[in-house]
Amino acid sequence: QVQLVESGGGLVQAGGSLRLSCAASGRTFSWYVMAWFRQAPGKEREFVAGINWIGGGTRYADSVKGRFTISRDNAKNTVSLQMNSLKPEDTAVYYCAADCRPDSWHCASWGQGTQVTVSS
């Protein structure tokens, strides 16, 4: 199993940007499909973005396409989420996940989450 620690959350005004990072340790990082999810208050956790093990394939939720970019650095065992043009509806706890099935986005390992708050 892989251990995940997120960082980079915070408070930002609408239209601003944030970059989330996820540091992975444990089993070989490059074997995993990685993803970011988020959970807003009173809502279910939802898929945001995913990236395959060679970094060549990405997938995004419709709500973030064109604004968010997922990337990974296998040499540094990190996956990042660059978030631009943030909206108040992007406010949520963001979770990094590893060992994901891209057909269902069911993931085996999860980080503790980092809060992102977008003010209007």
Side-chain angles (χ1 to χ4, degrees), residues 50-112:
I51 189 166
N52 71 17
W53 71 281
I54 60 172
T58 57
R59 194 175 301 176
Y60 296 92
D62 288 343
S63 59
V64 306
K65 280 181 181 176
R67 300 188 298 122
F68 290 11
T69 303
I70 188 171
S71 60
R72 68 189 294 163
D73 185 334
N74 287 348
K76 296 182 178 179
N77 285 358
T78 59
V79 62
S80 298
L81 185 69
Q82 178 66 42
M83 305 185 295
N84 299 327
S85 302
L86 283 161
K87 304 175 181 179
E89 51 263 43
D90 294 319
T91 295
V93 177
Y94 283 70
Y95 297 91
C96 176
D99 196 10
C100 304
R101 292 176 57 97
D103 54 349
S104 64
W105 292 110
H106 173 78
C107 305
S109 299
W110 294 85
Q112 82 289 351

Side-chain angles (χ1 to χ4, degrees), residues 11-33:
L11 173 64
V12 64
Q13 288 188 333
S17 299
L18 279 176
R19 185 176 181 86
L20 305 183
S21 294
C22 174
S25 61
R27 294 180 60 188
T28 305
F29 176 71
S30 62
W31 292 356
Y32 293 104
V33 174

